[in-house]
Every structure is written in structure tokens, then in C-alpha cells.
């Protein structure tokens, strides 16, 4: 089994950080309550240097924020796009980006996993969320070419979580009122600590 998949395809070798991050700039991460996180994003219809630069910035921001995935509306851009650098439950690394993602949840042999989940836009909060243990996301790459990515376990959770973002949903929407209140309390308690850590990492060099 290959140890790294890039854009859904096995790779013999891949650097510590996605090369895009070397070109990118850190952007502010939006937070729960901001309108852009709570409405469906627009389809990407123009593929070119502006979209490529956005992908670069999103990878850089993802690493600074210590996330597994990041959607465009989490950096204030109303477009259906996300990037990811996420392991699955077998320790296999998955790296890539998906434009105009559509989530498919295979019905045969699937099961729900009720496991901890966090979000860069809900800093410091972690709650158990039920998600299918397998997921497939289809879409395009930044050049408009078709792409399909399949994940299991934690990576399936990442694919579902980020696709939710592009549809205007955050993981708190899947919680009960009591659970959501608990998550927001966690965020209030830990937000400053998370932001201090991000600020420190923003000055650290990104290495290939």
C-alpha cells in the first residue's frame, strides 16, 4: 500500500509540506457566526492563476492553523473549494484540493463512526460527530480537470466535513442544542490559546 496519495493517486514520494504552501500567504481564518460560513458557496467557473493562488494561500494557512482540511469560505472566499493534508486510520497520508466538490457516501458496507471532530473555524472545541466511515468526493482540480478522491475513517470524516463547509454547514449544525452550547463554551475557554499558537506558527518557515 502506498504511504501517500496526491489528488487521489498514489505517489512514490511527497515532501513534508505541499509545494503550494511555499508560494502561499497566510490568510485569516473565519469563525463560527460569520455569514460566509453559514450559506452555500458559489461554484467555481473560472480556472486560472487567481484560483491557483488561492489554493496556495489555503495550503499555507492550513499548515499554520494545524488543520487537516480547509475550505475557501474559511479564509473568507465564497467559492466551492477545499484543500486537505490528512491521514487515514491506517496512517496513509492524503494531500490535495478539490474544486466544486460533490460528496458521495457509499451505501454498501458503510457504517457510522461517532468520533471526535474539530474545526479551524471553531477554535479549541472538539465534539463527537457521527459520520460514515467511507466517502467519495468528486469534483475538479484547479485546472478544471475531473478528480475523484475516496477516503476511509478519519480521512472520510475530513472529506465530509470540508464538503459540508462548501454547502454552508459547519459541524456544530450536526449537534444537539446542548452539545453545540458545550462546543461554544470550549471555544470561549481555548480560543486565545489557539490564536496565540497560530500567530507563533505564522512566522515559521514552510519547508518542502
Amino acid at each position: 500500500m502506498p504511504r501517500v496519495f496526491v489528488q487521489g493517486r498514489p505517489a512514490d514520494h511527497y515532501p513534508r509540506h505541499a509545494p503550494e504552501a511555499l508560494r502561499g500567504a497566510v490568510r485569516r481564518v473565519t469563525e463560527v457566526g460569520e455569514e460566509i460560513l453559514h450559506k452555500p458557496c458559489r461554484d467555481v467557473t473560472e480556472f486560472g492563476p487567481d484560483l491557483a493562488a488561492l489554493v496556495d494561500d489555503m495550503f499555507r494557512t492550513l499548515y499554520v492553523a494545524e488543520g487537516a482540511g480547509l475550505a475557501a469560505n474559511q479564509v473568507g472566499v465564497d467559492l466551492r473549494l477545499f484543500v486537505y493534508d490528512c491521514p487515514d486510520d491506517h496512517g496513509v497520508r492524503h494531500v490535495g484540493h478539490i474544486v466544486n466538490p460533490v460528496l458521495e457516501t457509499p451505501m454498501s458496507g458503510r457504517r457510522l463512526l461517532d468520533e471526535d471532530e474539530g474545526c479551524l473555524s471553531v477554535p479549541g472545541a472538539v465534539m463527537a460527530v457521527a459520520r460514515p466511515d467511507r466517502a467519495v468526493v468528486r469534483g475538479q482540480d484547479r485546472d478544471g480537470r475531473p478528480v475523484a478522491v475516496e477516503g476511509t475513517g478519519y480521512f472520510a470524516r475530513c472529506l465530509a466535513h470540508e464538503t459540508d463547509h462548501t454547502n454552508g454547514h459547519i459541524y456544530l449544525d450536526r449537534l444537539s442544542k446542548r452539545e453545540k452550547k458545550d462546543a461554544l463554551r470550549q471555544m470561549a475557554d481555548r480560543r486565545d490559546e489557539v490564536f496565540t499558537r497560530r500567530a507563533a506558527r505564522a512566522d515559521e518557515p514552510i519547508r518542502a
Side-chain angles (χ1 to χ4, degrees), residues 113-166:
L113 298 179
D114 198 27
E115 296 183 348
D116 286 348
E117 190 166 324
C119 179
L120 299 181
S121 293
V122 192
V126 176
M127 297 293 295
V129 180
R131 299 267 193 191
D133 67 337
R134 294 178 61 234
V136 175
V137 173
R138 301 185 187 277
Q140 298 157 285
D141 68 12
R142 63 187 177 191
D143 297 313
R145 296 172 297 208
V147 62
V149 178
E150 181 173 1
T152 60
Y154 184 67
F155 181 48
R157 179 174 298 274
C158 175
L159 292 174
H161 179 112
E162 300 307 330
T163 304
D164 269 0
H165 272 302
T166 69

Side-chain angles (χ1 to χ4, degrees), residues 19-75:
E20 291 91 337
L22 299 174
R23 303 187 294 264
V26 179
R27 298 200 184 194
R28 174 185 172 271
V29 177
T30 54
E31 294 182 63
V32 58
E34 295 185 41
E35 182 180 1
I36 196 168
L37 289 175
H38 303 280
K39 63 178 183 179
C41 296
R42 296 181 294 113
D43 285 343
V44 173
T45 57
E46 297 184 12
F47 297 82
D50 288 346
L51 183 64
L54 175 59
V55 171
D56 293 347
D57 289 355
M58 289 172 64
F59 267 111
R60 180 66 180 270
T61 305
L62 176 71
Y63 293 131
V64 166
E66 300 177 287
L70 182 72
N73 59 355
Q74 292 184 276
V75 293

Side-chain angles (χ1 to χ4, degrees), residues 65-198:
E66 300 177 287
L70 182 72
N73 59 355
Q74 292 184 276
V75 293
V77 179
D78 178 25
L79 289 175
R80 292 177 53 80
L81 160 69
F82 68 82
V83 303
Y84 60 89
D85 189 338
C86 181
D88 62 24
D89 289 356
H90 301 289
V92 177
R93 183 183 178 196
H94 299 266
V95 188
H97 66 277
I98 303 180
V99 180
N100 299 326
V102 176
L103 176 68
E104 300 177 4
T105 304
M107 299 304 296
S108 60
R110 79 165 193 168
R111 60 194 178 102
L112 289 177
L113 298 179
D114 198 27
E115 296 183 348
D116 286 348
E117 190 166 324
C119 179
L120 299 181
S121 293
V122 192
V126 176
M127 297 293 295
V129 180
R131 299 267 193 191
D133 67 337
R134 294 178 61 234
V136 175
V137 173
R138 301 185 187 277
Q140 298 157 285
D141 68 12
R142 63 187 177 191
D143 297 313
R145 296 172 297 208
V147 62
V149 178
E150 181 173 1
T152 60
Y154 184 67
F155 181 48
R157 179 174 298 274
C158 175
L159 292 174
H161 179 112
E162 300 307 330
T163 304
D164 269 0
H165 272 302
T166 69
N167 294 323
H169 302 298
I170 59 176
Y171 84 98
L172 299 186
D173 298 333
R174 296 180 174 273
L175 304 178
S176 68
K177 289 183 179 180
R178 181 177 179 180
E179 290 169 334
K180 182 176 180 179
K181 187 176 181 180
D182 185 13
L184 293 175
R185 186 183 302 112
Q186 290 182 41
M187 175 178 163
D189 290 342
R190 301 171 184 168
R191 179 180 179 276
D192 289 348
E193 176 186 342
V194 171
F195 274 67
T196 297
R197 189 166 65 245
R198 289 183 189 175

